[in-house]
Amino acid sequence: MKKILLNPLAVFQENQLLIVGLIVTLFGSLIGSLTNSRFDGVLDCHLGSNLMPWFHPFLDNFINIIVSFALFFALSKMINKKSRAIDILNTILISRFPIYLTCAALMNNFMMAPAFKLVENPLLPNLSLSAFEWFIIIISSCLSLFCLIWSIAL
């Protein structure tokens, strides 16, 4: 189990990873469309406006994956001439999973309400958060940090 979490590329075949990566990317884009989220950067997800067209998250993810792939494939060919495109693409697709989890947390304002309360006044944060809201913020922050480190280490 530890090897599956820490190095899924060594456990599964490249075709399996490609199919799972593409399916999760489609579901992540669908969640982004439902939550009006934008994947406007390679490593981030932002809440967009309600007037945003439904296809923007799909387009954002497509552009992010293509740009990341082009950059990392070119760099990998400079370092190792035997680098395979499928390996680079799978790494990019798999490393984006945590971004989609973050986007899913935006559904129904589950994380947004406590976060907005906390940042209403940055100089003097509103300390009227319930214990459950503090729990949500602390757990989601730790989980997000872990996911970011996992994405980079992958």
Side-chain angles (χ1 to χ4, degrees), residues 30 56-57 60 69 82 87 91 99 101 113 128 154:
L30 179 64
H56 271 201
D60 290 341
F69 174 76
K82 295 180 182 180
D87 294 332
T91 302
I99 297 169
L101 290 176
S128 64
L154 191 61

Side-chain angles (χ1 to χ4, degrees), residues 11 23 29 34 40-41 43 46 69 76 86 92-93 98 100 102 105 109 117-118 128 136 146 148 152:
V11 177
I23 289 170
S29 298
L34 294 173
D40 56 355
L43 290 175
H46 295 275
F69 174 76
S76 70
I86 188 85
I92 291 167
L93 290 172
Y100 306 136
T102 303
N109 286 334
K117 280 185 186 178
L118 190 63
S128 64
I136 290 172
F146 171 76
L148 179 65
I152 293 171

Side-chain angles (χ1 to χ4, degrees), residues 5-6 9 42-43 72 91-102 143-154:
L5 285 175
L6 296 179
L9 302 172
V42 175
L43 290 175
F72 287 119
T91 302
I92 291 167
L93 290 172
I94 298 299
S95 69
R96 293 186 58 81
F97 285 6
I99 297 169
Y100 306 136
L101 290 176
T102 303
L143 185 62
S144 296
L145 184 61
F146 171 76
C147 288
L148 179 65
I149 292 170
W150 180 79
S151 291
I152 293 171
L154 191 61

Side-chain angles (χ1 to χ4, degrees), residues 1-12 17 150 153-154:
M1 183 68 167
K2 182 179 177 184
K3 191 170 185 174
I4 290 173
L5 285 175
L6 296 179
N7 193 4
L9 302 172
V11 177
F12 298 105
L17 289 171
W150 180 79
L154 191 61

